[in-house]
Amino acid sequence: MALTEISQLSANLARISGVSMRVCDSQLVTVSLSGDDAALPVFRTLPAQPTQVERAITAQGDFLAVGIFTAATLTGYLIAGPCESESGSLAQILVASLVGAQQIATIHDDHIKVPPLTVDLAATDSDDDAAIAERYVKQNRLMQLITQGDTEQLPAAITAAVSVRDIEIFFSRVPNRRLRSAKNILYVFNTMCRLAAERGNVSPVTLDRVSSHYAMTIEQLPSLKYYQRLTTEMATQYCEIVAARRDNHYSSKVNQALQFIYRHYQEDLSLANVATAAGAAPTYLSRLFKQETGETIFEFINRYRVQMARQYLRHRPESVTDVAFHVGFNNVTYFNRMFKRYAGMTPLTYLRGSEPAIRG
């Protein structure tokens, strides 16, 4: 294919993938650019075969280079990047677009060398070791609260265990791939929370459903700015499930309604769909819920949404509006009013006392 033909193809690929595409000649001189003009990384080698993809891993993200061949002669390169998410599927798309859908991409990149493990059991603990020990204590405390279903003490424990300083340490475990590191940590955290909730006597079926939901959510995480929000949501969700299981003084209908609210509070809830989930008539459930909890169903929903909003605001989201919609409110003015009712202050006042977010 001629470079002029590839230029139109690269423009289409950039529009579909959201990743910048650059067509270069055989000397890496840019012929056309679709997207941002990011500085090209230094590729150790360049592709010499149609299905070969060279991947350069940088702090900006991954860059992919694919050869452009005309009658078996290399005439240039199509370079995609930076790509913040997993780039393997994009590499396959590039090869399929240039060579054919039946061809399989072969990716070459730098491999991370893992040093041999050495453990000195006789060594004296240093200050760094003490910090590690403290982190373990905080994490164990958080897991203990989930097992107990202690929703009152959980927010402070989350703040202590998921500090920006501690998290930044782990983001270097996969060099230059902070988002991949974050996802790996979240997978581990999801498993820890699941095991903690299991010790709280939550059924394996329920835990499998929740764990699977968060596994898919983690893999789709678009950027680091959502890391703390998702960590908070997971810990709170598992803890709430244990609490609901513990609250056996409620009737089965009210318990079913509570569990439905915990799982779907971000959605547009109505008395009808809560009642359907609980297997009860709306008027009957409304009366029973008020009798057993002391609140109407919507008072409980609003209070719980504000409780979740406080968790998210603690970790500085993009805006109060962003949080309002995330926790299920579709009107920011109403959210502000409910927040002040249940938290005793406005969301902005509460936000001023929150800790800084992770850089992404």
Side-chain angles (χ1 to χ4, degrees):
M1 298 176 72
L3 295 185
T4 52
E5 296 178 70
I6 300 298
S7 295
Q8 183 57 50
L9 173 63
S10 68
N12 292 335
L13 288 172
R15 185 170 59 255
I16 294 170
S17 67
V19 177
S20 297
M21 300 282 169
R22 184 190 302 261
V23 177
C24 300
D25 64 18
S26 58
Q27 302 302 313
L28 288 181
V29 175
T30 299
V31 175
S32 68
L33 173 67
S34 300
D36 297 332
D37 188 12
L40 285 179
V42 176
F43 288 92
R44 291 190 307 159
T45 58
L46 285 166
Q49 301 295 330
T51 58
Q52 182 180 342
V53 180
E54 291 295 331
R55 177 164 56 190
I57 301 172
T58 75
Q60 297 172 279
D62 293 355
F63 285 80
L64 304 172
V66 184
I68 301 171
F69 292 83
T70 303
T73 300
L74 179 68
T75 57
Y77 303 97
L78 175 58
I79 300 177
C83 177
E84 292 186 3
S85 59
E86 290 302 289
S87 55
S89 57
L90 180 58
Q92 183 58 53
I93 291 172
L94 296 179
V95 168
S97 300
L98 292 175
V99 186
Q102 304 304 316
Q103 302 299 318
I104 304 299
T106 302
I107 303 174
H108 297 159
D109 56 14
D110 292 329
H111 294 282
I112 301 168
K113 293 184 178 180
V114 180
L117 176 65
T118 58
V119 179
D120 184 359
L121 297 178
T124 304
D125 288 351
S126 65
D127 290 340
D128 287 341
D129 295 329
I132 292 172
E134 182 183 1
R135 186 167 68 244
Y136 274 64
V137 169
K138 292 175 181 177
Q139 291 173 352
N140 289 337
R141 171 62 174 162
L142 177 59
M143 294 304 118
Q144 181 184 38
L145 292 175
I146 291 175
T147 297
Q148 295 170 348
D150 191 336
T151 57
E152 291 187 7
Q153 297 189 62
L154 187 73
I158 293 174
T159 300
V162 191
S163 71
V164 172
R165 177 181 174 277
D166 288 343
I167 293 168
E168 287 286 353
I169 295 172
F170 292 103
F171 284 169
S172 62
R173 290 192 171 181
V174 182
N176 297 324
R177 304 190 72 181
R178 290 164 57 82
L179 184 58
R180 181 69 266 165
S181 294
K183 290 181 180 181
N184 292 345
I185 298 166
L186 286 168
Y187 281 127
V188 173
F189 188 74
N190 186 26
T191 300
M192 291 171 63
C193 290
R194 178 183 62 78
L195 293 172
E198 185 177 9
R199 291 192 293 272
N201 295 319
V202 177
S203 75
V205 174
T206 298
L207 289 175
D208 183 71
R209 183 170 64 248
V210 175
S211 178
S212 297
H213 166 78
Y214 282 119
M216 291 186 287
T217 303
I218 290 167
E219 193 54 42
Q220 295 171 13
L221 194 73
S223 72
L224 289 174
K225 68 182 179 182
Y226 298 104
Y227 177 91
Q228 285 176 298
R229 172 182 294 180
L230 185 54
T231 303
T232 298
E233 181 177 323
M234 282 195 291
T236 304
Q237 180 70 78
Y238 280 107
C239 190
E240 291 287 1
I241 292 172
V242 175
R245 172 70 176 79
R246 179 199 61 204
D247 292 336
N248 55 13
H249 58 278
Y250 293 138
S251 65
S252 63
K253 298 298 183 187
V254 171
N255 260 322
Q256 289 178 65
L258 288 170
Q259 295 217 27
F260 182 79
I261 292 168
Y262 291 146
R263 291 195 301 269
H264 301 279
Y265 71 94
Q266 296 167 299
E267 302 170 15
D268 186 16
L269 295 178
S270 67
L271 175 58
N273 58 27
V274 174
T276 298
T283 52
Y284 172 73
L285 179 65
S286 182
R287 184 171 63 254
L288 186 65
F289 195 97
K290 172 74 172 178
Q291 177 183 323
E292 294 188 14
T293 68
E295 294 180 294
T296 68
I297 288 176
F298 285 103
E299 285 172 342
F300 181 86
I301 290 172
N302 285 333
R303 182 169 59 80
Y304 184 68
R305 284 172 170 168
V306 168
Q307 178 183 332
M308 294 303 299
R310 291 173 68 178
Q311 298 283 345
Y312 299 136
L313 287 169
R314 191 183 301 274
H315 301 297
R316 287 192 185 277
E318 290 182 279
S319 68
V320 169
T321 301
D322 185 44
V323 167
F325 285 103
H326 185 74
V327 299
F329 288 98
N330 54 20
N331 183 294
V332 178
T333 301
Y334 184 66
F335 167 66
N336 288 334
R337 188 161 70 247
M338 290 300 101
F339 195 96
K340 189 168 185 179
R341 173 183 296 179
Y342 293 109
M345 64 186 77
T346 66
L348 283 176
T349 301
Y350 187 84
L351 182 59
R352 292 192 189 105
S354 301
E355 65 177 68
I358 298 172
R359 61 186 179 86

